[in-house]
Amino acid sequence: SQCSTFTQTMKFCDMLDNLSDIVEKDPKFAKTYMMEKRYALNLMVSGDQELRKDLIGLTESYVNLI
């Protein structure tokens, strides 16, 4: 993605905040959401790498549980 590092980092924060809400409030949609976010994270390589790494781990863990 061609967003700035700051923009991608903010998006990572937003994703992280949304993950638990999605799982709790809409578990049927959660797997689709996680797969979409995992795909997006593969394209978003400019943001904070620790946040990105954490998000990749969380999305992969969730998808593998289902």
Side-chain angles (χ1 to χ4, degrees):
S1 180
Q2 294 186 10
C3 295
S4 71
T5 299
F6 176 78
T7 301
Q8 285 190 16
T9 298
M10 294 306 296
K11 185 62 181 170
F12 293 163
C13 292
D14 183 51
M15 284 183 194
L16 191 57
D17 187 52
N18 291 337
L19 291 181
S20 61
D21 288 341
I22 293 293
V23 171
E24 181 182 323
K25 295 180 179 166
D26 196 351
K28 290 181 181 180
F29 177 66
K31 183 173 182 176
T32 300
Y33 179 84
M34 296 294 181
M35 291 171 65
E36 289 172 355
K37 295 308 159 191
R38 189 169 60 178
Y39 176 78
L41 288 164
N42 286 328
L43 301 174
M44 300 170 71
V45 296
S46 298
D48 182 280
Q49 293 305 297
E50 287 299 313
L51 275 175
R52 183 176 179 268
K53 184 173 124 183
D54 290 346
L55 283 163
I56 289 170
L58 287 169
T59 57
E60 287 180 357
S61 294
Y62 188 83
V63 168
N64 291 332
L65 285 175
I66 303 280

